[in-house]
Amino acid sequence: MYKVFSCFLYITVFSISLFCTNRAEKRLNKKKKHGFVLYSVIAVSILCLAASLRDIEVGSDTIRYYEYYETALGYSSFKNYYSRFQIQGVEIGYLFFCFVLSRLHLPVEFMSFILEALIVVPVFFYALKKRNIRPAWTYMAVFIFVFYNVSY
């Protein structure tokens, strides 16, 4: 039952995001800035919320992302924090990202939201840039079905 509900929830989130992407594109074409901004924020935010509010056991590596963030809270210098994970081959940029956000003492869900936004926003604007070739929602649909299928 849980898996059926989870699938329904994700399909709903993805559908809303794709619908809002389509509406944002139409507003952009008509030069209606307020509608474009509103629909764009909804299209991106709902995907980021889905990623940040998911259970820690969903996905193949979510638990590791949380561990890196939680570990960063216990270190006062980035050099010491980085040396702990250097042997494991963790990317320095991601560790720096976790370390900086851990200084703000924000919940780990906020870190996940920001990380997801760093992924989704460029894809969203690329889709809008290429809208003269294909509708923007089709680019986003491919991104969602490929990216979320692999990471969830």
Side-chain angles (χ1 to χ4, degrees):
M1 182 66 178
Y2 173 76
K3 288 187 178 188
V4 172
F5 176 73
S6 180
C7 286
F8 176 74
L9 182 64
Y10 281 115
I11 289 171
T12 302
V13 165
F14 297 156
S15 297
I16 292 170
S17 179
L18 293 176
F19 172 78
C20 288
T21 300
N22 185 39
R23 302 310 304 165
E25 179 183 5
K26 289 183 190 271
R27 296 300 186 269
L28 184 60
N29 290 338
K30 293 180 181 178
K31 309 257 191 268
K32 294 183 177 180
K33 189 175 182 179
H34 295 302
F36 166 72
V37 171
L38 175 67
Y39 282 117
S40 296
V41 167
I42 294 170
V44 170
S45 294
I46 196 161
L47 292 175
C48 295
L49 281 172
S52 64
L53 297 178
R54 67 183 178 171
D55 188 61
I56 195 168
E57 295 179 9
V58 174
S60 57
D61 51 4
T62 308
I63 201 161
R64 297 293 279 158
Y65 293 149
Y66 285 22
E67 286 175 6
Y68 297 142
Y69 182 78
E70 295 292 331
T71 304
L73 291 169
Y75 283 86
S76 59
S77 79
F78 179 72
K79 182 180 177 184
N80 293 338
Y81 173 64
Y82 177 66
S83 65
R84 182 177 191 291
F85 294 107
Q86 189 175 13
I87 297 169
Q88 298 175 12
V90 181
E91 295 176 10
I92 189 171
Y94 181 72
L95 291 176
F96 184 72
F97 172 77
C98 287
F99 187 78
V100 168
L101 285 181
S102 72
R103 300 304 97 189
L104 302 173
H105 296 285
L106 298 169
V108 69
E109 292 81 11
F110 183 79
M111 184 266 310
S112 294
F113 185 92
I114 297 295
L115 184 62
E116 190 70 15
L118 290 171
I119 297 166
V120 174
V121 170
V123 173
F124 180 78
F125 282 108
Y126 177 82
L128 289 175
K129 182 179 178 182
K130 296 294 184 177
R131 71 184 185 277
N132 58 340
I133 300 170
R134 297 244 184 276
W137 71 267
T138 59
Y139 290 99
M140 290 302 290
V142 169
F143 167 73
I144 286 170
F145 294 134
V146 171
F147 180 74
Y148 285 91
N149 186 42
V150 171
S151 66
Y152 282 78

